[in-house]
Amino acid sequence: MKYEFLKLNRWLVLILITFFIGIGTLPLLQNKTNQTNSDNQKEHYYQENYDLLQSAVHSMKATEAPDDLIVASEKELAAYQEGLSGIAQKNKQKQIKAESDIAKIQLEKAKNGNLLGATIPELELRVKELAFFEHSEIQWVDPFFTAVLPASHFLLNTFLQLSYPLLLSMGALLIALICSYEHRKDTVNFMRSTPQKQSNIMWKKIGVMMVALSGFLITGTLGIFLISALKGGIGSFNYPIFYLDSKQLIHQTTIGHYLLLLLFSTLLFFFLLTLIGYLLQNIFKQFLFNFLFLLLCIFPLALGGMSDFIPVSIAKWLPTNYWDFPRLILGNNPWDAATITFEKGIFLMLFSIGLVFMFNRVVMKRTEVYQNQPAISR
């Protein structure tokens, strides 16, 4: 295997890691606000909502609106007042209590048909999330009014906002270069004439590719985390994440669990691409064709952003729609009716790996038969 490592372009791996860290930490360079400005924005937001709601209450009283609506709105006014007081005192616990009370009142209004906008499941999610922090020792991080997110939160946002096809394409570039090495260096006949079994050659090459891809992904992720920690602190990987699935049911996980699942599923995706890349080297002799074919296996992931134009009946048959792991882990599926889930994505990924592996075995068997033929018969 050490000879396969010698073929590895270490400078390319370093460049890809640097590029990954660069695009991941770019929001840190763009963020020029400080926490004082964020607190002022939050105070303005509260005050604006308070003033609008106060005017609405006066109108409701003048038009003899239902008493329960007036009472609920007055309770909401009091909660906004508590929130303003908490911001002025820089009292996080008071702010959370106010946010929680507002969310509960808005949920009650929605159930009574007196609130438009957010759906009832979304409001229930908000209530559950705030209730957790109201009674937890874990410090609440308001994603809308926190100037610099802790590193754990920043890393979560990086993978949610980063183009997943772009991340995978960097790995595909590395795979295509390694798989086409023998053709580019014109040593493919020498490799096939060695006494080693084709299966040994395949697993050594795939092993080197997976080590390189794991190093790229883990080192890049660690680099983003360390740089963001210098600016916003470490944060907590035990921080809870609440989300709705395709059936509008509430689920809870943690940032750490999310990142572990994402790293696992991404490495599984890279493993599939390495098997495809190894198979393609028997078909395409040039690096470019190998790379372009791998890209064709990746970029249909971008169809998730075109869900308004692609019918569910088509979307549910496209394998790549099940592989948008950064969003599927949190139940974010652009085609809700297609019941595309993270679990189905993993199953389909394992099935695809098994299928491509079988194709590789068939090609290896044919190559070994060719090698064992007498030279005079060729």
Side-chain angles (χ1 to χ4, degrees):
M1 187 176 282
K2 65 179 181 180
Y3 297 109
E4 294 296 336
F5 272 111
L6 293 175
K7 301 173 185 177
L8 186 64
N9 190 328
R10 293 169 179 79
W11 282 109
L12 174 64
V13 177
L14 184 60
I15 290 171
L16 289 176
I17 291 173
T18 304
F19 182 70
F20 179 23
I21 294 174
I23 59 175
T25 55
L26 188 61
L28 290 175
L29 302 176
Q30 298 172 333
N31 183 8
K32 299 183 183 299
T33 61
N34 55 44
Q35 192 57 50
T36 302
N37 289 337
S38 294
D39 288 341
N40 289 339
Q41 290 173 7
K42 188 170 187 178
E43 185 177 14
H44 177 75
Y45 170 79
Y46 269 51
Q47 188 64 56
E48 189 177 58
N49 282 351
Y50 179 86
D51 293 339
L52 289 171
L53 185 58
Q54 192 174 46
S55 299
V57 170
H58 289 321
S59 298
M60 284 187 279
K61 288 180 177 179
T63 56
E64 297 183 352
D67 291 340
D68 59 337
L69 177 58
I70 295 174
V71 170
S73 297
E74 287 178 336
K75 288 181 180 178
E76 192 175 354
L77 276 175
Y80 272 116
Q81 190 62 55
E82 283 295 303
L84 287 166
S85 176
I87 294 172
Q89 298 171 12
K90 299 189 182 299
N91 187 330
K92 285 284 185 182
Q93 193 59 36
K94 202 170 184 178
Q95 290 182 48
I96 296 171
K97 177 69 168 59
E99 289 266 6
S100 181
D101 289 343
I102 292 168
K104 290 174 184 175
I105 294 166
Q106 289 180 344
L107 175 59
E108 180 187 346
K109 283 183 173 181
K111 288 181 176 179
N112 293 330
N114 295 320
L115 183 70
L116 300 176
T119 64
I120 289 178
E122 289 171 343
L123 292 169
E124 288 176 336
L125 177 71
R126 181 68 172 160
V127 167
K128 186 168 184 177
E129 180 181 11
L130 291 168
F132 174 90
F133 288 108
E134 191 179 350
H135 304 98
S136 173
E137 294 181 357
I138 298 176
Q139 185 177 0
W140 177 53
V141 177
D142 189 336
F144 302 106
F145 298 101
T146 301
V148 181
L149 292 172
S152 55
H153 288 72
F154 184 84
L155 201 55
L156 171 67
N157 285 355
T158 295
F159 282 112
L160 288 174
Q161 296 172 9
L162 182 70
S163 169
Y164 197 47
L166 175 61
L167 175 62
L168 294 173
S169 66
M170 287 188 274
L173 173 63
L174 191 60
I175 293 168
L177 282 170
I178 295 176
C179 286
S180 63
Y181 181 88
E182 276 74 25
H183 290 295
R184 288 186 289 109
K185 300 297 181 180
D186 201 23
T187 59
V188 65
N189 290 330
F190 171 77
M191 182 188 72
R192 290 175 177 172
S193 65
T194 60
Q196 292 190 75
K197 289 184 177 181
Q198 290 296 310
S199 58
N200 289 339
I201 295 174
M202 183 188 78
W203 285 120
K204 287 176 181 178
K205 188 175 284 291
I206 288 177
V208 169
M209 283 190 281
M210 287 308 299
V211 169
L213 291 166
S214 299
F216 156 70
L217 184 61
I218 295 172
T219 305
T221 300
L222 187 60
I224 294 171
F225 173 76
L226 292 175
I227 292 173
S228 58
L230 292 175
K231 190 169 184 179
I234 294 175
S236 172
F237 285 103
N238 199 36
Y239 192 92
I241 306 171
F242 296 86
Y243 63 94
L244 295 169
D245 64 12
S246 59
K247 297 180 181 178
Q248 297 295 290
L249 298 175
I250 299 174
H251 295 270
Q252 180 180 347
T253 186
T254 64
I255 291 178
H257 187 244
Y258 169 85
L259 292 174
L260 285 175
L261 282 178
L262 181 57
L263 290 175
F264 164 75
S265 54
T266 302
L267 286 175
L268 200 62
F269 206 150
F270 279 145
F271 183 57
L272 173 62
L273 292 178
T274 59
L275 287 173
I276 294 174
Y278 194 84
L279 180 64
L280 290 175
Q281 71 173 348
N282 297 287
I283 304 171
F284 302 120
K285 310 304 180 184
Q286 291 81 18
F287 150 77
L288 184 60
F289 289 115
N290 199 322
F291 180 52
L292 289 176
F293 194 95
L294 289 175
L295 289 183
L296 287 176
C297 301
I298 295 169
F299 278 101
L301 283 167
L303 292 175
M306 301 174 63
S307 55
D308 292 337
F309 305 98
I310 299 176
V312 173
S313 57
I314 295 177
K316 67 181 181 181
W317 294 108
L318 297 175
T320 48
N321 290 337
Y322 294 82
W323 295 340
D324 189 4
F325 294 122
R327 277 151 283 279
L328 282 179
I329 293 174
L330 297 182
N332 188 345
N333 167 26
W335 293 282
D336 290 333
T339 62
I340 296 171
T341 65
F342 172 74
E343 291 77 13
K344 287 182 180 179
I346 293 295
F347 173 79
L348 190 58
M349 181 72 69
L350 292 173
F351 176 79
S352 301
I353 286 172
L355 192 63
V356 178
F357 174 73
M358 287 173 59
F359 282 130
N360 270 299
R361 289 291 297 173
V362 170
V363 172
M364 283 189 293
K365 287 291 183 183
R366 294 187 64 179
T367 303
E368 288 174 353
V369 168
Y370 175 78
Q371 288 177 340
N372 293 331
Q373 286 179 349
I376 195 170
S377 66
R378 295 182 186 176

